[in-house]
Amino acid sequence: MMLYSDDLISTSSVETIFSMIVSFSSISVICLHFAPQMTSFLFHLPLPFGLAAARIRRALKFFVEPLNLSVKKAVIFPVNDNEDVTQAEGGSHWSLLAFERDSNLSIHHDSYGGANSRYARRLHASVVGFMGSSESNGRYMEYTQTPQQVNGYDCGLYVTAIARAICCWYRSGGSNDDKEGFWFSVVKEEVTPSAFTAMRSEILGLIRGLMDK
């Protein structure tokens, strides 16, 4: 994600921005975001087959349980295509996976033609068992009408904007009467190339404010 024409935003900055989005939305009890590093770890978990995978998941349960995922109406995961867990700032593309509690559905938003679909599906398979639902009934959906970026570097801005739109949708009541279903109309209205000029300035201001503290 670029805020300047030649300046890339790091994974830690994406984590900070996500935290502020949820905090400012005042819906942390409803909507929980996962840090990019934690998402990457969950993505690389062995799928739930065999004794080794079962042992890892039992150990991870003690970390996950305090997050109370089973009572969150939504859980938002930033998805990155980094396949090397030893490379902290690896990967080249961000997308977003959102778990919707009432529908028991994971929805993938990708602003670059579904480039991260494989990674999102694997992440869904890894985490659905922690959502208070079983592996067999947690559904996955690729939302193909996600607004698309017009360049090769704005994926982080799209993820940020979509996460904010989802949080705003829940804050306003999260009605499924939306003609598009779920938060889809809000995403289409708010996630536009023209909105990103203001968003870049806003994010830069937030980051600079944190650096000055």
Side-chain angles (χ1 to χ4, degrees):
M1 174 172 68
M2 290 188 177
L3 297 184
Y4 299 113
S5 60
D6 58 352
D7 185 26
L8 285 171
I9 288 296
S10 67
T11 297
S12 58
S13 294
V14 172
E15 178 180 0
T16 299
I17 294 165
F18 261 62
S19 298
M20 288 187 291
I21 287 172
V22 175
S23 175
F24 292 166
S25 297
S26 302
I27 58 169
S28 58
V29 174
I30 300 173
C31 184
L32 178 74
H33 89 291
F34 259 80
Q37 294 91 336
M38 186 60 188
T39 296
S40 179
F41 173 71
L42 291 171
F43 169 80
H44 287 92
L45 277 178
L47 293 178
F49 307 111
L51 288 176
R55 291 193 187 101
I56 292 173
R57 287 176 173 274
R58 280 198 297 270
L60 187 62
K61 183 179 179 182
F62 292 102
F63 170 80
V64 173
E65 279 187 342
L67 299 176
N68 294 317
L69 297 184
S70 62
V71 300
K72 304 294 183 183
K73 291 187 68 66
V75 184
I76 296 175
F77 301 89
V79 181
N80 189 269
D81 59 356
N82 180 17
E83 296 192 3
D84 184 0
V85 292
T86 66
Q87 189 175 1
E89 301 292 341
S92 61
H93 180 54
W94 292 99
S95 60
L96 182 145
L97 185 69
F99 177 77
E100 211 289 314
R101 166 74 48 201
D102 292 340
S103 301
N104 195 22
L105 176 67
S106 294
I107 302 170
H108 184 222
H109 290 276
D110 194 327
S111 64
Y112 205 62
N116 270 3
S117 177
R118 175 167 68 94
Y119 302 96
R121 288 180 181 275
R122 173 62 186 268
L123 178 62
H124 163 76
S126 296
V127 303
V128 67
F130 297 118
M131 298 299 169
S133 59
S134 69
E135 191 77 28
S136 61
N137 64 13
R139 298 180 296 132
Y140 174 91
M141 172 185 175
E142 190 79 28
Y143 183 57
T144 58
Q145 299 302 309
T146 296
Q148 298 293 287
Q149 63 194 79
V150 295
N151 53 45
Y153 51 79
D154 268 347
C155 55
L157 282 175
Y158 274 78
V159 166
T160 302
I162 292 169
R164 181 159 63 180
I166 292 172
C167 289
C168 289
W169 182 78
Y170 275 104
R171 186 174 58 183
S172 66
S175 172
N176 278 333
D177 293 336
D178 187 313
K179 64 181 180 179
E180 294 281 345
F182 304 109
W183 47 77
F184 299 157
S185 288
V186 177
V187 167
K188 285 184 176 181
E189 291 170 5
E190 296 186 4
V191 183
T192 62
S194 60
F196 290 149
T197 299
M199 179 174 285
R200 281 188 175 90
S201 297
E202 178 184 353
I203 292 173
L204 275 171
L206 290 171
I207 293 174
R208 285 169 177 162
L210 290 173
M211 291 174 65
D212 291 340
K213 289 183 179 180

